Amino acid sequence: MYEFLKVETNQGVCTITLNRPEVYNAMNDGITYELQDVLKAVKKDPEARVVVLTGEGKAFCSGQDLKAASGDEKRSFIASLQKRYNPIIRAMRNLPKPIICRLNGVAAGAGCSIALACDIIVAAEESMLTEVFVNIGLVLDSGSSYFLPRLVGSAKAFELSTMGSRVKGREAFELGLVNKVVPLAELDDAVKAYTDYYASAPTKAIGLMKKMLNKAGSSSLDEMLDYEAYCQEIAGSSHDYKEGVNAFLEKRKAEFKGI
């Protein structure tokens, strides 16, 4: 179905693998449009309750495929971002399901931006994040200027972006860029601990909380109090709320359906 992606859904977990290992999963036009399409499909798929995003081979994603882009002398950066990259980031943040980044290797440039746009990052110690844009005279894009200062603060974000610093897995954890770091050999088990939880969690409530946390960054306390009340009304009408209450009263584990 896809030329540049591997997509598999199993027991509530949709795994999307960037599949251009020969170029460290660099982003060409095809892979960006395929990623947009699969995110739309996952949003509509009731069987997919958590998404894992990773890369095939040694890298997560090395960013824009500069060799592919160099053949188009009239290429517009605005058009490229608005048509190819920005829709991916918006789709990720608007997806009402958790996205876990399985950071198996280097994430550079737009690849770093895509990793930071995930809800949770589980990184191998051998992995690396780098905002490499400055090395070719470009600025942050694909959401990095939004995510990076929120994660590490403005001063550290300035350093990392303007110096193109390479941040390995353990340092990334210490800076707050990733949620968990483990040796590469233990990466799958660490990711599975998250997917096992989210695949059987109250997905509707988690999707609403994701929207709330997205909104909180640009809202006042009063606005968020009102929005919390609005979202709680929706959550309180869900199947999973009723199941959660019944399970509590009956002293058993809840069996959430994600609805």
Side-chain angles (χ1 to χ4, degrees):
M1 185 174 177
Y2 297 102
E3 183 179 357
F4 302 114
L5 300 175
K6 292 181 180 179
V7 182
E8 179 183 5
T9 301
N10 184 33
Q11 295 183 328
V13 182
C14 177
T15 301
I16 303 170
T17 305
L18 308 178
N19 190 29
R20 300 188 73 213
E22 69 282 1
V23 289
Y24 299 103
N25 302 315
M27 307 290 279
N28 62 2
D29 287 2
I31 198 171
T32 57
Y33 291 129
E34 287 187 0
L35 197 49
Q36 290 179 40
D37 288 343
V38 75
L39 288 168
K40 291 176 184 176
V42 170
K43 186 174 184 178
K44 298 176 182 178
D45 184 2
E47 298 301 315
R49 295 170 66 178
V50 56
V51 175
V52 174
L53 184 58
T54 191
E56 183 69 21
K58 296 180 179 180
F60 175 75
C61 176
S62 59
Q64 169 65 39
D65 188 335
L66 295 178
K67 185 175 182 180
S70 64
D72 186 356
E73 295 181 0
K74 297 182 179 179
R75 192 178 190 91
S76 164
F77 285 97
I78 291 178
S80 179
L81 288 168
Q82 291 181 342
K83 292 179 180 179
R84 298 173 57 224
Y85 289 101
N86 292 352
I88 293 171
I89 303 302
R90 289 191 175 103
M92 291 174 68
R93 296 314 307 155
N94 292 327
L95 186 70
K97 304 171 184 183
I99 304 176
I100 298 170
C101 173
R102 177 186 176 274
L103 192 63
N104 57 305
V106 65
C112 182
S113 301
I114 289 171
L116 297 182
C118 294
D119 299 299
I120 288 175
I121 303 177
V122 184
E125 291 178 346
E126 297 86 341
S127 67
M128 181 182 71
L129 292 159
T130 177
E131 298 285 12
V132 74
F133 301 97
V134 71
N135 291 347
I136 54 171
L138 292 180
V139 302
L140 301 173
D141 68 27
S142 306
S144 270
S145 66
Y146 178 88
F147 298 114
L148 193 60
R150 283 166 169 78
L151 290 168
V152 301
S154 59
K156 192 64 178 180
F158 183 84
E159 176 190 336
L160 295 178
S161 57
T162 60
M163 297 185 70
S165 307
R166 299 182 176 188
V167 184
K168 297 294 288 291
R170 180 60 59 183
E171 183 184 0
F173 176 74
E174 292 169 354
L175 287 173
L177 283 168
V178 306
N179 297 78
K180 190 176 184 66
V181 61
V182 296
L184 182 60
E186 299 174 18
L187 186 60
D188 287 334
D189 287 341
V191 170
K192 189 175 185 297
Y194 282 102
T195 58
D196 283 351
Y197 169 78
Y198 285 114
S200 59
T203 311
K204 191 177 188 70
I206 289 169
L208 288 168
M209 284 192 276
K210 181 172 176 175
K211 291 177 65 176
M212 291 163 65
L213 294 172
N214 285 341
K215 183 177 175 64
S218 59
S219 300
S220 67
L221 173 59
D222 283 340
E223 289 171 332
M224 287 311 301
L225 289 171
D226 290 339
Y227 193 61
E228 285 175 352
Y230 167 77
C231 291
Q232 197 70 291
E233 187 71 15
I234 297 173
S237 301
S238 68
H239 168 278
D240 283 345
Y241 167 68
K242 297 178 180 66
E243 166 62 12
V245 172
N246 287 336
F248 175 79
L249 295 174
E250 295 168 9
K251 295 182 174 56
R252 60 175 175 82
K253 184 178 179 180
E255 297 182 8
F256 296 119
K257 302 295 184 183
I259 55 177

